[in-house]
């Protein structure tokens, strides 16, 4: 277990230090959400309707932006080879790297979302639901991002391919995330089922994505 | 029972070309195997096969006398062309991470001792990004003795090292063999070390048709 935490700790320290890229996703998230109302104009009703969808799409793209750096640095400096040798199973390595990516990227963005939602006139009633749905949904986003990164490890400029591979898998998270967020002001009965499906997506990714990612890395090392 | 690594009839193909075939050897405890031969004869490929990167096509690779179910890779240190260092971390953080990750957490004192063995003790709190190429190599080498593993697979370990550091490396390899470790190394440089066995990869390499 201490091996698992040591990898998470190292990855988070690396994200926060120079050249780590924690600032990149955060900067992108904030920039888009600041520019959006300026571009759309001061129609408060329209902005309010737009807010949940805009926040979710921005979250998706911000997470995608940092995806190609999940495995690439370790692949380039030979660390990934040593990780493949063990003793920790490669599946757990992939899980640890996903969790570190979530803690360093997805979770901070989810926590900031209600605050930045104010710029889009997000209904105050939705602050709670959007935080909850984003914390849960961003975990699935990080796990799927890790899978994409594992498949494209070793490819130069793999970012574009990752987007093509991963965006279809992000669509359910987007649909049910927005649906859970909107439920309170729209159809309240939808909140429960949407959150349950979002949880199911996250749990399924938690189990399947690391296994698939490990298989992809093994295949690449051969 | 002592441990013995035995390879029989190993074949390596890369990109449709047979790099070597019919390669057999044994290495026992306290023995060192030196891989010699010109570039492109499969020294790196052999070490990577031993470390477990990629499945073995033909031939058998066995570790006799091992008392548990660990793979060769899990018992081995592999030092390739890359140093597996994070430049944004300090010298100490780099080593301490690998010690934790490999399941043998180390105290700051132990880390300093291992660094001292490669004359790096005074740079412990430095960022690894500030080290020279030779110093980075020495930092990677100090990982070998920080985490104790019975098999060392070293691919050109002396690259970038000065004469004094080569002596330190030879001393570390000597200590490993005296403690009953298995050593398989490829090098073009004479480290002043007597290897128990030598394998000339040029002899087993397939001649291009």
């Amino acid at each position: 277990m201490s091996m698992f935490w040591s990898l998470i700790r190292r990855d988070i320290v690396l994200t926060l230090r120079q050249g780590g890229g924690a600032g990149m996703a955060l900067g992108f998230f904030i920039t888009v959400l600041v520019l959006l109302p300026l571009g759309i104009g001061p129609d408060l009703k329209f902005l309010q309707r737009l807010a949940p969808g805009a926040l979710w799409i921005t979250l998706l793209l911000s997470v995608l932006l940092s995806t190609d750096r999940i495995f690439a640095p370790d692949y380039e400096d030979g660390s990934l080879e040593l990780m493949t040798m063990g003793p920790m199973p490669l599946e757990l390595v992939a899980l640890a790297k996903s969790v570190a990516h979530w803690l360093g990227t997805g979770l901070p963005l989810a926590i900031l979302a209600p605050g930045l939602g104010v710029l889009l006139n997000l209904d105050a009633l939705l602050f709670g639901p959007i935080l909850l749905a984003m914390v849960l949904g961003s975990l699935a986003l990080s796990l799927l991002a890790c899978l994409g990164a594992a498949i494209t490890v070793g490819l130069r400029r793999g970012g574009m391919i990752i987007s093509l591979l991963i965006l279809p898998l992000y669509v359910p998270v987007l649909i049910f995330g927005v649906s859970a967020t909107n439920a309170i002001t729209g159809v309240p009965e939808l909140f429960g089922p949407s959150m349950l499906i979002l949880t199911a997506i996250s749990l399924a990714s938690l189990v399947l994505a690391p296994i698939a990612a490990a298989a992809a890395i093994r295949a690449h090392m051969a | 029972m002592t441990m013995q690594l035995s390879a029989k009839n190993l074949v390596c193909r890369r990109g449709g070309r047979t790099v070597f075939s019919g390669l057999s050897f044994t290495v026992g405890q306290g023995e060192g195997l030196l891989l010699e031969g010109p570039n492109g004869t499969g020294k790196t490929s052999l070490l990577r096969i031993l470390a477990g990167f990629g499945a073995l096509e033909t031939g058998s690779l066995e570790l006799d006398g091992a008392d548990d179910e660990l793979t060769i890779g899990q018992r081995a240190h592999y030092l390739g062309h890359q140093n597996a260092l994070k430049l944004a971390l300090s010298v100490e953080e780099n080593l301490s991470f690998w010690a934790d990750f490999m399941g043998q957490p180390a105290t700051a004192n132990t880390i300093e001792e291992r660094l001292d063995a490669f004359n790096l003790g005074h740079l412990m709190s430095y960022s690894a990004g500030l080290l020279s190429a030779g110093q980075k190599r020495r930092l990677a080498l100090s990982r070998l003795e920080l985490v104790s593993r019975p098999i060392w697979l070293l691919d050109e370990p002396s690259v970038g090292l000065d004469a004094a550091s080569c002596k330190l490396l030879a001393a570390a390899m000597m200590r490993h063999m005296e403690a009953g470790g298995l050593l398989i190394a490829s090098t073009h440089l004479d480290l002043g070390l007597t290897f128990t066995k030598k394998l000339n990869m040029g002899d087993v390499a397939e001649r291009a048709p």
Side-chain angles (χ1 to χ4, degrees):
Chain A
M1 213 47 200
S2 72
M3 303 176 197
F4 188 74
W5 292 118
S6 70
L7 181 53
I8 293 184
R9 205 171 47 234
R10 182 197 76 148
D11 265 25
I12 291 178
V13 168
L14 284 173
T15 336
L16 296 177
R17 289 210 184 149
Q18 157 249 333
M24 194 167 66
L26 201 67
F28 180 80
F29 192 66
I30 294 172
T31 312
V32 172
L33 291 174
V34 166
L35 291 181
L36 212 60
L38 295 175
I40 288 167
D43 182 347
L44 288 181
K45 274 233 162 59
F46 183 57
L47 275 177
Q48 190 166 52
R49 225 158 11 124
L50 203 70
L55 282 163
W56 268 96
I57 291 172
T58 316
L59 174 75
L60 245 64
L61 296 178
S62 308
V63 170
L64 209 55
L65 199 63
S66 52
T67 299
D68 65 335
R69 302 309 291 168
I70 296 182
F71 283 114
D74 285 327
Y75 174 74
E76 284 157 12
D77 68 19
S79 302
L80 197 56
E81 285 178 344
L82 298 194
M83 291 177 187
T84 316
M85 289 169 69
M88 191 156 102
L90 203 51
E91 285 77 9
L92 284 183
V93 171
L95 181 62
K97 293 194 81 76
S98 315
V99 171
H101 183 258
W102 179 61
L103 291 174
T105 309
L107 193 61
L109 297 185
I111 291 170
L112 276 178
L116 287 167
V118 174
L119 296 173
L120 294 169
N121 194 26
L122 181 74
D123 197 320
L125 278 175
L126 300 184
F127 283 8
I130 198 169
L131 180 66
L132 208 61
M134 276 193 167
V135 167
L136 210 58
S138 59
L139 178 61
L141 297 184
S142 284
L143 286 157
L144 295 170
C146 181
L147 171 59
I151 292 173
T152 54
V153 77
L155 289 184
R156 290 191 191 282
R157 307 261 161 260
M160 187 63 213
I161 300 174
I162 295 184
S163 312
L164 288 174
L165 283 173
I166 293 305
L167 272 178
L169 298 174
Y170 276 5
V171 170
V173 181
L174 176 67
I175 292 172
F176 292 104
V178 173
S179 150
T181 309
N182 273 332
I184 303 296
T185 48
V187 194
E189 301 86 66
L190 275 181
F191 181 72
S194 300
M195 283 303 284
L196 284 180
I197 293 180
L198 209 54
T199 314
I201 295 173
S202 284
L203 288 178
S205 314
L206 194 66
V207 177
L208 298 174
I211 295 175
I217 293 171
R218 276 203 197 92
H220 184 83
M221 286 286 166
Chain B
M1 190 170 169
T2 58
M3 204 160 31
Q4 191 181 44
L5 178 71
S6 48
K8 283 192 199 86
N9 281 319
L10 298 186
V11 176
C12 170
R13 287 196 190 87
R14 284 185 72 85
R17 185 179 77 100
T18 307
V19 183
F20 56 75
S21 63
L23 184 69
S24 305
F25 62 85
T26 57
V27 188
Q29 284 195 303
E31 289 187 323
L33 174 70
L34 176 67
L35 305 177
E36 295 172 311
N39 298 143
T41 46
K43 298 187 293 295
T44 297
S45 302
L46 174 60
L47 288 167
R48 291 181 63 87
I49 289 176
L50 293 175
F53 307 134
L56 196 58
E57 257 186 74
T58 29
S60 75
L61 200 55
E62 273 167 36
L63 196 60
D64 307 316
D67 47 2
D68 44 36
E69 295 288 303
L70 297 179
T71 60
I72 297 175
Q74 283 164 345
R75 297 169 172 281
H77 272 300
Y78 172 78
L79 184 72
H81 299 290
Q82 291 153 319
N83 293 324
L85 300 175
K86 288 287 168 219
L87 304 187
L89 297 182
S90 75
V91 168
E92 182 187 1
E93 285 168 328
N94 265 297
L95 282 188
S96 133
F97 164 69
W98 283 118
D100 287 344
F101 185 84
M102 294 177 165
Q104 297 175 20
T107 62
N109 281 336
T110 327
I111 291 177
E112 196 172 1
E113 268 173 41
R114 296 298 172 249
L115 285 170
D116 276 336
F118 282 98
N119 268 337
L120 281 174
H122 57 296
L123 297 174
M124 199 153 136
S125 56
Y126 260 57
S127 157
L130 298 174
L131 300 184
S132 76
Q135 285 171 329
K136 281 178 193 149
R137 197 63 175 168
R138 272 147 62 196
L139 175 52
L141 286 167
S142 44
R143 189 178 64 231
L144 301 177
E145 284 188 293
L146 179 67
V147 177
S148 133
R149 288 187 167 189
I151 307 169
W152 285 11
L153 307 170
L154 311 181
D155 194 0
E156 299 285 349
S158 57
V159 167
L161 296 184
D162 56 23
S165 308
C166 281
K167 285 210 180 84
L168 297 174
L169 168 63
M173 288 157 89
M174 206 60 226
R175 279 197 296 275
H176 176 64
M177 286 192 282
E178 276 165 5
L182 285 71
L183 172 69
I184 301 176
S186 77
T187 174
H188 291 294
L189 214 70
D190 184 15
L191 291 171
L193 196 68
T194 33
F195 283 87
T196 337
K197 292 177 178 175
K198 286 185 183 180
L199 185 64
N200 195 328
M201 301 291 289
D203 294 342
V204 288
E206 293 278 303
R207 301 277 162 242

